[in-house]
Amino acid sequence: MSQKDKAKFRSTGKWKKFRAYMKSKYKKDALTGKILYKGWNLHHMNLNETYYQDLVEEHFLCLNKTSHDVIHFLYNVAKYKGIQETIDSLSDILYKMKEINSLI
């Protein structure tokens, strides 16, 4: 499915209705817990393009733009490094930053 095809699907009433439903139900960014702001993303967790138009609620997350970018970035790192190794590295970095900045 091309980016053009995906954009065309996202302009349909079916998608817009589903997106509105998800925002009304979840209201907050799944990563940060902050209120969704203008420009938020309805993130497909199933990245198989065959299922792009399958609107299975459990396969989507409401994310603000930065959270969406972070999730995709970390997912791509994890494809090569492994999920647990990626989480461990991220945790080590965050704890080190917390220590350096005296937030413990």
Side-chain angles (χ1 to χ4, degrees):
M1 183 171 226
S2 71
Q3 291 301 321
K4 186 177 178 180
D5 292 332
K6 290 178 182 180
K8 185 176 179 180
F9 174 67
R10 290 190 308 268
S11 71
T12 66
K14 180 180 176 182
W15 172 260
K16 289 178 182 179
K17 182 178 177 183
F18 180 69
R19 190 173 188 274
Y21 162 76
M22 292 293 286
K23 184 177 183 185
S24 71
K25 183 171 182 180
Y26 294 100
K27 296 180 177 47
K28 294 185 178 181
D29 178 292
L31 180 61
T32 66
K34 295 192 179 216
I35 297 294
L36 296 170
Y37 56 76
K38 186 177 179 179
W40 69 278
N41 292 272
L42 185 54
H43 171 68
H44 286 77
M45 289 191 287
N46 184 345
L47 300 178
N48 183 332
E49 293 181 352
T50 304
Y51 304 105
Y52 192 82
Q53 296 183 28
D54 293 353
L55 304 181
V56 178
E57 183 175 337
E58 295 78 21
H59 293 183
F60 289 86
L61 291 175
C62 297
L63 297 167
N64 286 320
K65 183 181 180 346
T66 301
S67 295
H68 189 241
D69 292 345
V70 166
I71 293 296
H72 275 284
F73 173 77
L74 291 174
Y75 181 78
N76 285 325
V77 170
K79 285 194 300 190
Y80 301 102
K81 191 172 184 176
I83 291 174
Q84 191 57 56
E85 291 81 2
T86 301
I87 291 169
D88 291 345
S89 294
L90 180 61
S91 179
D92 290 346
I93 291 166
L94 294 175
Y95 279 114
K96 184 70 172 180
M97 288 179 71
K98 188 175 181 182
E99 181 183 325
I100 289 169
N101 290 285
S102 303
L103 299 175
I104 294 178

